[in-house]
Amino acid sequence: MGNTKKQLHLGAFIFGVGHHVAAWRHPHTETNGLLTFDFYRKFAQIAERGKFDMIFVEDIPTLPERLDTAVRHTVPVRAEPLTLLSALASVTKHIGLAGTVSTTYSEPFHVARKFASLDHISGGRAAWNAVTTSMEITAQNFGRDHHLDHSLRYERAKEFVDVVTALWDSWEEDALIIDKASGVFADPDKVHTTAHQGTHFAVRGPLNIPRTPQGRPVIVQAGSSTTGQAFAAQTAEVVFTAWQTLGEAQSFYASLKGQLPEYGRSPDELKILPGVLPIIGVTEEEAREKEAALQELVHPAVGLSMVSGILRHDLSTYPLDGPLPDLPDSTDINGGKSRYQLILDMARREKLTIRQLIARVTGARGHRTIAGTPVQIADMLEEWFVKEACDGFNIMPPYLPEGLEQFVDLVVPELQRRGLYRTAYTGRTLREHLGLAQPKNRYTKLALPL
């Protein structure tokens, strides 16, 4: 394939000790280091050596409803994202730091303050993955009997992001004076109350942290449903998504980018990064053997529980070698609609049995798995990129740290050889890595012409 002047973007997705559900059992996984700082430091520094745009930390603020299976056979332990990323800021210099915080189970002032702090501490490398949270059981950890309805969660999320960005704007760029001689620390005329009174929030402001190095932290979003796309088109600067086929990814890319002009935005103001789980071998046969070895480590109860959870339907009473039962489309559920529909469509399209579907889901959880040589993996990444299915990828190592090391040592050089990927960081902030402009402060007055 020919080179392109445009270069793709890469995120490195931290998910426990690896994205494959059996990663913790892999002989090369550092499972005992799960909550040690050294484990995460190594991950971040490997990704920075690979010139990744960012590392991304997800968050699930609950344990699965099927507690016995989750605790007995999987690794449900998760580090709190902001605590972890603040620590990683001290041992990295360039790589962006993206963390997940729910708009359904948080408050805008707290979120604005925490990410503004991270942006200052890291020198302009913070990003907030604003999610609405899909798991029904989460509500019970936050004093609620029921999860908010899907449409209401997104209504709240839109107002939440509006409040957070207003708080990030509450200090103008030149508000700080810090004049020791006069005793003036900041110009009060350039620090603004937010005075937000909305349906879900009442926030006075201003923030007690000045304008950050990026102007604002980068806003990431991960929903791919119709409602999620509308939310992303209005607010997001990066979208993480999951697709199995080139055609599906191209359709989503065109749909989401096509909505941006409605909100006064250009296509370059939003980067779309689907997740990819790479399993790398010297030969394709070796890669397939690695994939099969991982699948052999999946406890039968885990795979069934995982698919049942995504589809919100107990599959334990159905034959494993039979098809899925009739299930409703995503419009009739109140959870992760896009992932539910993706898994359902894949099973229907490929006529998968429940056993086959389990094998497909336990690795990448609905994202695309690519098992092959470094050249084959680079071929697929290039094809999706040049055919306008994405602006880059969120790389999901199957197990850690080796899964990420192999991608950095074997696939990244191939992408660089093709002119598709940077050979050095040229910017200082995450916005500069992503080619995103620094947002204008809503309170800054335009200078009048003389």
Side-chain angles (χ1 to χ4, degrees):
M1 297 181 184
N3 289 345
T4 176
K5 293 180 181 179
K6 187 179 176 183
Q7 293 191 331
L8 56 80
H9 301 284
L10 293 179
F13 190 168
I14 300 178
F15 191 87
V17 292
H19 280 269
H20 197 284
V21 73
W24 71 277
R25 300 183 65 193
H26 192 280
H28 296 167
T29 297
E30 295 182 6
T31 306
N32 290 339
L34 178 60
L35 286 180
T36 65
F37 179 63
D38 189 60
F39 175 86
Y40 295 106
R41 177 195 58 76
K42 185 180 295 185
F43 179 99
Q45 291 177 343
I46 292 169
E48 189 166 69
R49 178 164 61 82
K51 308 299 184 292
F52 276 62
D53 292 73
M54 71 185 93
I55 56 175
F56 168 58
V57 183
E58 53 76 48
D59 191 34
I60 304 173
T62 187
L63 286 175
E65 207 160 358
R66 297 172 183 269
L67 187 63
D68 181 79
T69 300
V71 174
R72 190 183 301 274
H73 300 302
T74 72
V75 181
V77 175
R78 298 286 182 272
E80 193 283 314
L82 270 295
T83 304
L84 175 59
L85 291 172
S86 296
L88 292 177
S90 68
V91 293
T92 55
K93 294 181 179 179
H94 304 285
I95 199 162
L97 306 165
T100 301
V101 175
S102 172
T103 59
T104 306
Y105 298 107
S106 306
E107 289 293 325
F109 193 91
H110 281 146
V111 171
R113 187 184 186 199
K114 289 175 182 178
F115 278 99
S117 297
L118 179 61
D119 207 47
H120 278 289
I121 289 168
S122 65
R125 296 186 281 139
W128 168 36
N129 180 34
V131 301
T132 63
T133 302
S134 63
M135 295 180 70
E136 176 80 28
I137 195 174
T138 309
Q140 297 173 34
N141 284 345
F142 293 89
R144 301 179 186 176
D145 293 328
H146 300 289
H147 202 31
L148 291 178
D149 180 75
H150 184 268
S151 60
L152 189 59
R153 293 202 306 274
Y154 274 101
E155 178 187 295
R156 176 186 165 99
K158 176 62 173 63
E159 185 179 337
F160 197 115
V161 173
D162 288 345
V163 177
V164 169
T165 54
L167 288 167
W168 284 338
D169 283 352
S170 60
W171 291 62
E172 295 184 40
E173 275 84 355
D174 56 350
L176 286 178
I177 296 174
I178 314 181
D179 187 333
K180 293 183 179 182
S182 67
V184 177
F185 179 76
D187 183 348
D189 291 333
K190 294 184 178 181
V191 181
H192 306 272
T193 57
T194 309
H196 176 88
Q197 292 285 338
T199 303
H200 301 277
F201 305 105
V203 181
R204 179 184 178 274
L207 198 62
N208 56 354
I209 295 177
R211 188 77 164 167
T212 75
Q214 294 188 100
R216 299 176 197 158
V218 173
I219 296 177
V220 183
Q221 205 266 330
S224 300
S225 65
T226 301
T227 309
Q229 285 190 51
F231 177 48
Q234 295 174 71
T235 63
E237 296 168 294
V238 176
V239 166
F240 295 145
T241 186
W243 299 107
Q244 287 289 318
T245 69
L246 175 63
E248 288 175 323
Q250 288 173 318
S251 178
F252 175 80
Y253 187 88
S255 172
L256 184 50
K257 295 268 186 174
Q259 295 178 52
L260 296 177
E262 182 179 346
Y263 303 102
R265 306 180 67 196
S266 70
D268 288 340
E269 292 179 59
L270 176 64
K271 310 300 179 182
I272 298 175
L273 308 182
V276 171
L277 187 147
I279 299 178
I280 305 166
V282 175
T283 64
E284 183 177 355
E285 181 181 14
E286 181 184 272
R288 296 293 179 191
E289 289 173 354
K290 286 184 175 182
E291 183 178 22
L294 274 167
Q295 287 305 123
E296 288 176 4
L297 296 175
V298 178
H299 192 282
V302 171
L304 193 60
S305 175
M306 180 180 291
V307 176
S308 295
I310 293 173
L311 296 178
R312 288 161 175 75
H313 190 88
D314 185 1
L315 300 175
S316 62
T317 60
Y318 298 91
L320 281 177
D321 293 311
L324 283 178
D326 289 335
L327 296 172
D329 286 334
S330 59
T331 52
D332 297 321
I333 68 163
N334 182 33
K337 289 179 179 287
S338 58
R339 190 60 51 87
Y340 173 96
Q341 196 65 51
L342 182 144
I343 298 299
L344 193 59
D345 288 346
M346 179 172 66
R348 290 170 174 171
R349 180 179 61 246
E350 301 181 30
K351 297 180 172 58
L352 300 176
T353 65
I354 293 174
R355 189 189 304 276
Q356 290 169 331
L357 184 61
I358 288 171
R360 296 287 294 275
V361 171
T362 49
R365 296 169 172 81
H367 294 270
R368 184 167 183 187
T369 297
I370 317 172
T373 66
V375 169
Q376 289 173 321
I377 291 171
D379 284 344
M380 177 270 167
L381 301 183
E382 180 174 5
E383 181 183 28
W384 279 40
F385 179 60
V386 300
K387 291 185 177 179
E388 296 190 339
C390 65
D391 297 302
F393 300 89
N394 208 16
I395 301 302
M396 304 163 56
Y399 55 94
L400 295 172
E402 186 177 281
L404 181 62
E405 286 178 315
Q406 290 179 342
F407 187 90
V408 166
D409 292 338
L410 301 173
V411 180
V412 165
E414 181 63 24
L415 295 172
Q416 292 170 331
R417 186 186 65 78
R418 301 179 190 203
L420 290 166
Y421 191 60
R422 67 170 66 88
T423 55
Y425 289 108
T426 56
R428 179 180 58 86
T429 69
L430 177 55
R431 288 188 176 278
E432 290 170 338
H433 300 342
L434 293 167
L436 296 171
Q438 183 155 315
K440 296 177 181 178
N441 190 311
R442 72 191 69 193
Y443 297 111
T444 301
K445 298 179 179 65
L446 296 175
L448 297 175
L450 298 175

